[in-house]
Amino acid sequence: MGSENKVKLSVNGLAKQYGAVQALAPTSMDVSEGEFLTLLGPSGSGKTTLLMMVAGLTVPTSGEIWIDGKLSTFLPPYQRDIGVVFQNYALFPHLSVFENIAFPLRMRGMKADDIRTKVSDILSVVDLAQMADRLPKELSGGQQQRVALARCAVYGPSIILMDEPLGALDKKLRDTMQSEIRRLHKALGSTILYVTHDQGEAMSMSDRICVMRNGAIQQIGSPSDLYHNPINKFVGDFLGGATFINCTVEKCDTNTIYLKSEMGSFKAQNQKKLILPHDEPAVCMIRPQAIKISSSKIKEMNSLPAKINESILTGTMTEHHTILGDGSKSSAVEITTQDIQTFENNKKVFVNWSEKNCVIFSGDELK
Amino acid sequence: MSGKLNTKRIFDSLNEGISSKYLLLPIFFFLAVFFVYPVVSMLFISFFDREGSFTFVNYYEIFRGYNLSILLNTLKISGWTTIFTVSLAYPVAYYLSTAAKRNANLLIIIVLLPLWTSVLVRAFAWIVLFGRGGVINSTLAFAGVDPVEILFSYFSVIVAMTHAFMPIAVLSMYATMQNIDGRLKHAAATLGAEPGNVFWRVYFPISFPGVASSALVTFILSVGIFIHPALLGSPKQTMIAQIIIQQVDELFNWGLAAAISVMVMFVSILFIIVFDRLVGVVSITGAQGVGRPSGKIMNTLTGAAGNMAVTLSRLLTIFRSKKAARSSDRISFPIEILSVIILIFLAAPLLFLIPVSFTESPFVEWPPRGFSWQWYERYFTSPVWIEATIRSIIVGIATAFFSLLIGVPAAFSISRGSFKGKGLVLPYILMPLVVPNIIIALAVFYFFSDLGLIGTNLGLTIGHTILAVPYVVLTLVAVLQNYDQQLDHAAWTLGAKPLIAFKRITLPIIKVGFITSFLFAFMRSFDEIAIALFVSSGLQQTLPKKLWSEAHHAISPTLAAVSTILIVIVTVLVVVTELLKRKQK
């Protein structure tokens, strides 16, 4: 999704106020044609509000929505050429699977013969050809989900909005449906705006992720971008989890930041090239796979003393959970091999990481 | 610029559904003109004497010995009726809510049948049972026991009134109990509570709002009743509603009738306030479901009851084998038996009317003699009866139509809209439910006589609509609140314009709710007697009024025949609506 791609959906200063509560602060972003963009955030972060305003089901307090270069802020939903997959599917309970899927086609005045062909086509795509005459309540959760997808895909809307569509499914079904949705996305080439609070789902499906909190965008970027260069502690924590060490700045130059914590000193590469003042409070974030646990200090690496809380072999990965000197928790993972050892509880160990593999947050980034 | 504003407005209203507060205007004005104004003006009337000068004399009159004793008598009968109704209805509602689904459906029909059967018809049934030549005394005579005087006593009045109000009480408690999460009982049990404590400390407090609302409704209905004391009581059981009728019909003493009505309303309001303190009056609808059983007193009482029940059952188990200790999930045998007996009490009396209608004798007596169709013939060949029946049907359909016309927009507004003062809307619409019917009838009578609506079908329809529209709104609000608005949203995003989405998605799904509330309103009108008593003239009677004036002369087999016809019609209607509902599910 390079910059040569056409902008499909553009949101400009869009905001929503419910009385005294600001559900969405003025927000701007662009979604390119064919892109899969996920709105990720905890509940109450404003992601569903944003989605519903794009769908035309919630009226914005201010701002603009442009779809295909056309101002659509106050366009009613039935004139927007969008498709929505709702959280509870919103299948029409009194209509058969066939009639549910045929509904948008009928609304578009399509001929009965064409409707029959189109619906049977999409039914075989989602593997529900035998279920055409069933009522929604006679289907399993996963099948209902597929009907909802089919109903949305059948008329080829140029933007598909999905509001936590997998929220009601169990883990295994979710994984299947994730690849199903990705497959549909590729096959149809449609633009997808997806809402979820599950970071794993967001990372594995999206071209770009928009992390939201308290009704405002925190950061937009590719999954790898967000994972490796989170803009603040919240984003870092929300995507993937990490060890956070409270510290203060001891010394800082354009290459290296020297930091001091209760447990000892360490340093970090100055990725942002900002000169931080002495004694500035900061937090050092280290991803679990960047941490090595050892019985003695490892040379050339940052090292802090810790105590094993639990060390478990979970399968492919082995996890070491430790408690640092200041009482904060830290987790490390490594790939399970023959020579990997687990540690006994309460064993005194060292938490080691390279100065290149950590991110320093300070000032506003700590919030 | 204006174009944009305009589309924004349309878009806004689309978004809130069809829900602006203007939809409330029809019902607001209807009730303001035909309910609030007449009732309030009665307050004024109560301060004027026959000559039209200002006076307090009507209020002195109330507290003069005779009237006061009748007021106290009314409170006494209503109080006992309420106590019996609620305590008999509770086990049945409990049984219904725990019974297996299929059984519950059948049992609910047993509760619904008497609910829909005219109050008058049900009162006749008790006359057949209690009368001198009635079922009980004939059976006693057969067994060689001297006949006893059952009719014309507190006993007969209170039994018949309890029978009359129980279906409503059962249903409103059932509505609350259905919403109680069955797992709570399991949770309490796993936390170490024995069955007695599970019930008293967990289940009962949660179900209490249902108990309170049915007590409130029963009491208010009882205070305004005149049918039962008149037909099944002696002068000793005279109730206040009879005095109101007497003052208007026989003595033309408007002022006193109005003053008594004001008094009764005052008592009702007092009662409501007491309930509000106890449980919060919103639970009157029953639709409010599970609510907060409040306060220390409640906790202390239910706690004590729980301890007592547990101690008792422990004592009992000492004398019984281990197998008595069953899972708390299964309903206990005694409750099952008790519920079945109460259900028989609800349904059986009606069945005795049917054989009586085929008797050859001109008197209502048990057992009926021979077999004859003559009483049916008399009904079908009497122009007065037929005319009354047709009038009732016409007024019923008009009432149902009119109630839906103003009730549907109001229900949409209440369930979808959000605007200032919305919380006051439902209480306003439900007001006619908490004012005794006889008082509404009196107020409307006075107002209509100014407008020349007495003796007209329009007058009857308006009067019945006042009483029917709260039920219509309640039913429809419940239906609409169960309706997932996301379905509309889905339809819009799939390309359906609002009107088409309404026609193809909303309407098919809520259709049964509409039909049910139409039938509800129809039955409410078809069975209504208080309004007809005042508003219809002697020549233009409704069926209940005709039944009532006949019954005043004598209980004849014709009444049994008409009652049987009504029972058959109601049975068909109830079964059809239940089948419709089930098909919907």
Side-chain angles (χ1 to χ4, degrees):
Chain A
M1 35 114 250
S3 54
E4 71 273 16
N5 273 4
K6 199 171 129 223
V7 171
K8 185 80 193 173
L9 165 73
S10 179
V11 161
N12 197 355
L14 200 65
K16 179 66 185 178
Q17 194 89 23
Y18 288 107
V21 182
Q22 190 172 47
L24 188 70
T27 295
S28 302
M29 65 175 197
D30 289 343
V31 185
S32 312
E33 181 146 16
E35 187 179 10
F36 193 125
L37 185 123
T38 297
L39 304 175
L40 174 68
S43 57
S45 58
K47 52 192 194 309
T48 299
T49 307
L50 177 53
L51 191 83
M52 287 299 138
M53 287 196 286
V54 174
L57 296 170
T58 300
V59 200
T61 312
S62 60
E64 290 170 344
I65 297 166
W66 296 77
I67 297 172
D68 273 329
K70 189 176 155 205
L71 183 62
S72 310
T73 318
F74 298 115
L75 216 57
Y78 50 86
Q79 286 173 6
R80 286 191 186 206
D81 191 28
I82 44 153
V84 183
V85 179
F86 292 87
Q87 191 169 4
N88 305 317
Y89 320 137
L91 298 178
F92 305 130
H94 60 305
L95 300 180
S96 66
V97 167
F98 183 93
E99 281 304 322
N100 260 285
I101 299 173
F103 186 84
L105 304 177
R106 295 201 193 286
M107 290 303 113
R108 284 163 177 75
M110 200 178 269
K111 277 197 222 115
D113 287 348
D114 297 342
I115 290 180
R116 205 165 307 127
T117 349
K118 279 208 119 181
V119 175
S120 1
D121 284 354
I122 199 91
L123 273 174
S124 52
V125 170
V126 295
D127 206 15
L128 283 173
Q130 269 79 52
M131 307 288 180
D133 296 326
R134 300 259 184 110
L135 286 175
K137 66 175 177 195
E138 295 164 337
L139 302 181
S140 72
Q143 288 169 332
Q144 291 183 13
Q145 171 65 63
R146 298 215 295 272
V147 175
L149 282 178
R151 186 176 68 177
C152 187
V154 72
Y155 61 102
S158 58
I159 303 177
I160 297 181
L161 311 174
M162 299 191 181
D163 184 10
E164 307 228 6
L166 307 181
L169 303 179
D170 62 50
K171 175 85 180 67
K172 208 171 151 208
L173 213 48
R174 281 172 92 111
D175 294 343
T176 324
M177 290 311 298
Q178 280 180 16
S179 45
E180 188 104 350
I181 291 174
R182 267 203 310 269
R183 192 166 62 81
L184 267 172
H185 172 231
K186 290 226 173 67
L188 302 168
S190 45
T191 310
I192 295 186
L193 191 58
Y194 191 94
V195 160
T196 183
H197 64 264
D198 181 327
Q199 55 101 7
E201 197 171 295
M203 303 269 279
S204 64
M205 297 178 82
S206 328
D207 294 322
R208 281 195 303 160
I209 298 174
C210 168
V211 182
M212 301 187 69
R213 175 168 66 149
N214 297 337
I217 293 180
Q218 301 288 301
Q219 189 174 6
I220 305 185
S222 67
S224 128
D225 230 16
L226 295 185
Y227 190 76
H228 295 296
N229 305 306
I231 198 169
N232 58 26
K233 190 184 163 196
F234 173 80
V235 175
D237 195 18
F238 204 76
L239 274 100
T243 298
F244 294 95
I245 300 171
N246 290 316
C247 49
T248 52
V249 176
E250 190 65 10
K251 208 169 79 185
C252 182
D253 59 42
T254 48
N255 291 321
T256 312
I257 311 171
Y258 298 86
L259 299 133
K260 197 178 81 179
S261 77
E262 262 182 58
M263 295 86 69
S265 306
F266 53 89
K267 50 190 180 175
Q269 212 172 48
N270 194 347
Q271 287 159 346
K272 294 169 199 161
K273 304 288 175 203
L274 281 170
I275 301 297
L276 300 172
H278 178 72
D279 265 354
E280 170 84 3
V283 162
C284 175
M285 181 191 94
I286 318 146
R287 293 291 182 196
Q289 68 278 19
I291 295 179
K292 273 201 79 66
I293 303 291
S294 61
S295 311
S296 51
K297 283 193 180 184
I298 299 179
K299 257 195 218 164
E300 307 289 308
M301 285 182 108
N302 291 319
S303 246
L304 291 178
K307 192 175 74 177
I308 293 285
N309 190 27
E310 211 176 15
S311 183
I312 343 160
L313 192 154
T314 62
T316 325
M317 308 303 275
T318 300
E319 298 177 3
H320 308 289
H321 302 283
T322 56
I323 295 177
L324 293 167
D326 65 349
S328 60
K329 286 177 181 159
S330 161
S331 296
V333 294
E334 53 188 336
I335 294 170
T336 308
T337 57
Q338 285 288 327
D339 7 286
I340 278 291
Q341 54 168 350
T342 53
F343 299 93
E344 59 195 79
N345 288 359
N346 292 323
K347 184 177 161 60
K348 289 204 159 57
V349 290
F350 287 92
V351 166
N352 311 281
W353 74 96
S354 149
E355 62 186 82
K356 278 178 276 180
N357 287 335
C358 59
V359 182
I360 303 298
F361 300 122
S362 63
D364 280 347
E365 299 161 1
L366 296 177
K367 280 179 195 160
Chain B
M1 199 60 208
S2 74
K4 184 190 160 186
L5 278 177
N6 218 346
T7 40
K8 182 167 159 41
R9 235 209 356 261
I10 294 166
F11 182 70
D12 262 332
S13 64
L14 161 75
N15 224 284
E16 284 156 21
I18 323 161
S19 72
S20 108
K21 56 190 156 194
Y22 301 110
L23 292 176
L24 289 170
L25 286 180
I27 202 167
F28 178 82
F29 280 116
F30 177 81
L31 288 179
V33 172
F34 293 109
F35 173 71
V36 178
Y37 171 73
V39 168
V40 170
S41 55
M42 213 158 54
L43 191 66
F44 286 98
I45 299 164
S46 70
F47 287 109
F48 292 95
D49 63 15
R50 285 164 196 259
E51 278 72 45
S53 47
F54 184 84
T55 173
F56 285 109
V57 77
N58 294 320
Y59 285 91
Y60 293 137
E61 277 287 303
I62 295 179
F63 292 104
R64 207 172 49 93
Y66 179 63
N67 288 329
L68 182 66
S69 72
I70 287 186
L71 187 61
L72 293 177
N73 196 33
T74 305
L75 293 180
K76 178 172 140 194
I77 293 177
S78 304
W80 282 114
T81 303
T82 306
I83 290 169
F84 286 129
T85 304
V86 170
S87 31
L88 288 178
Y90 193 90
V92 175
Y94 181 72
Y95 181 53
L96 282 180
S97 66
T98 43
K101 199 90 214 160
R102 198 179 306 157
N103 292 342
N105 280 332
L106 179 74
L107 296 175
I108 283 180
I109 289 183
I110 296 181
V111 178
L112 284 178
L113 275 182
L115 175 71
W116 287 131
T117 310
S118 161
V119 176
L120 269 169
V121 170
R122 284 186 282 156
F124 296 162
W126 285 107
I127 295 173
V128 171
L129 278 166
F130 285 161
R132 219 161 218 296
V135 178
I136 293 178
N137 270 325
S138 310
T139 314
L140 285 179
F142 188 74
V145 182
D146 283 340
V148 281
E149 194 64 75
I150 316 172
L151 216 50
F152 311 125
S153 64
Y154 280 109
F155 175 77
S156 58
V157 172
I158 292 173
V159 166
M161 280 172 70
T162 303
H163 181 252
F165 302 135
M166 246 182 70
I168 297 175
V170 169
L171 288 179
S172 88
M173 287 188 209
Y174 177 61
T176 308
M177 289 180 187
Q178 253 187 327
N179 290 333
I180 299 177
D181 188 343
R183 285 169 305 182
L184 288 176
K185 285 195 282 178
H186 300 238
T190 59
L191 292 168
E194 286 174 50
N197 266 329
V198 171
F199 178 78
W200 285 108
R201 286 179 190 260
V202 178
Y203 196 87
F204 184 76
I206 303 176
S207 67
F208 190 72
V211 177
S213 66
S214 41
L216 183 62
V217 168
T218 307
F219 187 81
I220 288 169
L221 286 171
S222 301
V223 167
I225 206 83
F226 56 89
I227 294 169
H228 300 88
L231 292 182
L232 295 131
S234 70
K236 267 192 195 159
Q237 283 84 41
T238 305
M239 286 174 75
I240 205 77
Q242 290 167 277
I243 299 297
I244 295 176
I245 296 170
Q246 190 191 30
Q247 290 299 331
V248 175
D249 261 10
E250 293 163 26
L251 306 170
F252 305 103
N253 191 350
W254 278 92
L256 184 56
I260 295 172
S261 301
V262 170
M263 223 32 231
V264 172
M265 269 197 291
F266 179 75
V267 170
S268 301
I269 290 167
L270 207 70
F271 196 69
I272 293 172
I273 289 171
V274 169
F275 263 82
D276 190 31
R277 287 279 158 276
L278 260 166
V279 276
V281 86
V282 276
S283 62
I284 197 174
T285 61
Q288 295 298 320
V290 184
R292 73 199 149 99
S294 53
K296 260 188 197 156
I297 305 171
M298 183 72 168
N299 282 336
T300 323
L301 283 177
T302 55
N307 288 343
M308 234 161 69
V310 167
T311 320
L312 213 72
S313 75
R314 276 186 192 157
L315 281 175
L316 283 173
T317 45
I318 294 173
F319 302 108
R320 280 199 306 190
S321 60
K322 274 271 190 296
K323 73 167 195 236
R326 267 183 303 189
S327 125
S328 65
D329 200 28
R330 250 192 60 72
I331 195 153
S332 69
F333 192 62
I335 292 183
E336 207 162 358
I337 293 287
L338 184 65
S339 307
V340 169
I341 291 173
I342 299 170
L343 283 169
I344 291 172
F345 165 74
L346 266 182
L350 288 174
L351 302 179
F352 289 101
L353 272 172
I354 299 169
V356 170
S357 68
F358 293 104
T359 184
E360 279 172 6
S361 126
F363 304 107
V364 169
E365 57 190 347
W366 194 265
R369 290 184 199 177
F371 182 90
S372 115
W373 287 100
Q374 58 173 317
W375 309 110
Y376 288 92
E377 211 179 300
R378 183 164 294 189
Y379 167 77
F380 283 110
T381 53
S382 151
V384 186
W385 276 111
I386 294 300
E387 213 182 289
T389 310
I390 291 172
R391 176 166 299 104
S392 273
I393 291 172
I394 291 172
V395 170
I397 290 173
T399 300
F401 179 77
F402 202 49
S403 299
L404 254 68
L405 196 69
I406 60 176
V408 169
F412 267 96
S413 177
I414 290 168
S415 61
R416 302 260 171 108
S418 55
F419 45 85
K420 255 186 201 163
K422 192 186 161 191
L424 294 174
V425 172
L426 204 54
Y428 176 79
I429 294 174
L430 296 186
M431 270 191 313
L433 289 187
V434 296
V435 179
N437 288 356
I438 190 73
I439 295 175
I440 299 178
L442 178 67
V444 162
F445 175 39
Y446 188 77
F447 182 53
F448 279 6
S449 55
D450 285 349
L451 298 178
L453 283 172
I454 302 296
T456 64
N457 286 354
L458 179 64
L460 280 171
T461 305
I462 292 173
H464 290 181
T465 303
I466 298 169
L467 299 173
V469 82
Y471 288 102
V472 167
V473 172
L474 267 185
T475 325
L476 288 177
V477 165
V479 169
L480 289 175
Q481 273 168 352
N482 282 333
Y483 178 78
D484 181 5
Q485 251 188 294
Q486 230 177 37
L487 295 177
D488 289 344
H489 294 169
W492 299 342
T493 62
L494 292 169
K497 292 193 176 117
L499 258 179
I500 294 176
F502 182 79
K503 208 177 96 191
R504 303 193 55 160
I505 305 298
T506 319
L507 202 57
I509 296 175
I510 61 179
K511 193 173 58 192
V512 169
F514 274 74
I515 297 172
T516 318
S517 53
F518 186 91
L519 284 176
F520 221 141
F522 176 82
M523 293 308 294
R524 190 72 190 78
S525 158
F526 196 72
D527 187 26
E528 176 51 39
I529 176 156
I531 300 273
L533 207 57
F534 288 143
V535 172
S536 70
S537 63
L539 289 172
Q540 300 184 303
Q541 308 187 67
T542 62
L543 190 57
K545 191 182 175 191
K546 173 73 183 153
L547 278 168
W548 169 248
S549 46
E550 284 285 308
H552 240 44
H553 292 299
I555 304 293
S556 72
T558 316
L559 292 181
V562 179
S563 300
T564 305
I565 294 170
L566 290 179
I567 292 169
V568 169
I569 293 172
V570 165
T571 310
V572 170
L573 279 180
V574 167
V575 171
V576 165
T577 37
E578 282 302 301
L579 286 179
L580 264 177
K581 267 191 205 163
R582 215 168 308 169
K583 200 179 146 203
Q584 179 82 357
K585 280 168 194 159

